[in-house]
Amino acid sequence: MNETIATGLRQPGGPVGLPDGRVALVEMGDSRRCLSVIAANGTRHEVCRPGGLPSGVAVDGDNCFWVAGGPENSLVRLSPEGRTLQVIEGGRDGPFLYPNDLAFGPDGLLYMTDSGVRASDLLEGADVHPDFFRAPYNGRVYQIDPGEGRVLRVLATGLLHVSGIAFGPDGRLYYSETLTGKIHRQIVGARQELFAQVIPAPAVTALRGPAGMAFDRDGTLYCALYGLGEVCLIDPAGKTAGLIRANGMRPGNVAFTPDGKHALITEQENGALERIVAPRPGLPLHMPSI
């Protein structure tokens, strides 16, 4: 069993390790829908309830929180105290549908996945809609200028529930397509290519597949397999290099602590934040000042 450092969370997502040892995450459960911070001793502090259905979080160099899934499916920037500073609702192609996950790039820009379907087409309360696979998905990956507060480009479209997003040590952008079991990558703005196929067949009868992810410094990708109870380790060639069991069947995301020594897993079946000793040091996140 992995070490559990916090329990009683309501559909946790994120997480992001903070420099002071705390962990920022979002809670998507209807009773909270909030941004929370977990102290080293496991104590939970609710920062704010930004509205909407918060599903992902990133932190910039000014210690502000960027939350995917704010009011009206927006992207919001919050002060360290939880005050709303900025709201981005979409781009020239229309409003966001279901913002999912976030990552800052080495260029100082912000990158976001949008699952490409309304939450009402995917969820019935806290449960997955039985016809989830038939929903009209148009998952997208956005490049966003955080300083100007606008979408610069749509980097990918037509994805079936795009979820996790991360930059590798090679500088390329990686993102997961949950329902097909694929992880794609691209040099930003260039042609998309398949990096890895982590489940062999599409998820038709149950929502499962690759979700949130993070890299270690050697280029191994750690990808949470939602609905399968594992974190998959994928080597730089796109081959499975190992599996780490989560304590429940619904790990949603993975992140490393700032010192790279531990990996953090948000697990939704048990409403928990798990921690393991990292097999290899984690790759530091980009956290630009805005």
Side-chain angles (χ1 to χ4, degrees), residues 31-50:
S31 63
R32 290 186 183 163
R33 296 193 175 193
C34 64
L35 170 67
S36 300
V37 171
I38 309 300
N41 64 1
T43 302
R44 170 188 171 271
H45 167 68
E46 184 174 304
V47 178
C48 68
R49 299 191 178 193

Side-chain angles (χ1 to χ4, degrees), residues 16-90:
V16 178
L18 303 177
D20 61 6
R22 297 180 301 159
V23 179
L25 51 79
V26 292
E27 297 185 67
M28 294 173 276
D30 286 342
S31 63
R32 290 186 183 163
R33 296 193 175 193
C34 64
L35 170 67
S36 300
V37 171
I38 309 300
N41 64 1
T43 302
R44 170 188 171 271
H45 167 68
E46 184 174 304
V47 178
C48 68
R49 299 191 178 193
L53 184 64
S55 56
V57 62
V59 179
D60 64 28
D62 305 309
N63 298 317
C64 291
F65 302 102
W66 292 79
V67 174
E72 302 299 325
N73 304 305
S74 63
L75 167 65
V76 296
R77 187 189 190 207
L78 305 169
S79 73
E81 298 76 32
R83 181 169 55 90
T84 299
L85 302 175
Q86 193 173 17
V87 179
I88 305 171
E89 297 179 338

Side-chain angles (χ1 to χ4, degrees), residues 35-166:
L35 170 67
S36 300
V37 171
I38 309 300
N41 64 1
T43 302
R44 170 188 171 271
H45 167 68
E46 184 174 304
V47 178
C48 68
R49 299 191 178 193
L53 184 64
S55 56
V57 62
V59 179
D60 64 28
D62 305 309
N63 298 317
C64 291
F65 302 102
W66 292 79
V67 174
E72 302 299 325
N73 304 305
S74 63
L75 167 65
V76 296
R77 187 189 190 207
L78 305 169
S79 73
E81 298 76 32
R83 181 169 55 90
T84 299
L85 302 175
Q86 193 173 17
V87 179
I88 305 171
E89 297 179 338
R92 287 189 298 270
D93 63 330
F96 302 138
L97 292 178
Y98 190 169
N100 195 312
D101 204 3
L102 301 162
F104 281 104
D107 53 7
L109 300 176
L110 183 60
Y111 295 80
M112 184 181 81
T113 56
D114 185 317
S115 295
V117 65
R118 295 288 184 186
S120 57
D121 289 328
L122 180 64
L123 302 173
E124 287 186 342
D127 299 320
V128 176
H129 195 287
D131 293 328
F132 72 92
F133 194 78
R134 297 186 178 92
Y137 293 94
N138 184 19
R140 299 185 174 205
V141 179
Y142 289 95
Q143 182 190 55
I144 297 165
D145 185 322
E148 296 186 3
R150 65 184 181 94
V151 172
L152 297 179
R153 287 188 287 180
V154 180
L155 300 175
T157 63
L159 300 167
L160 298 183
H161 200 290
V162 61
S163 182
I165 189 167

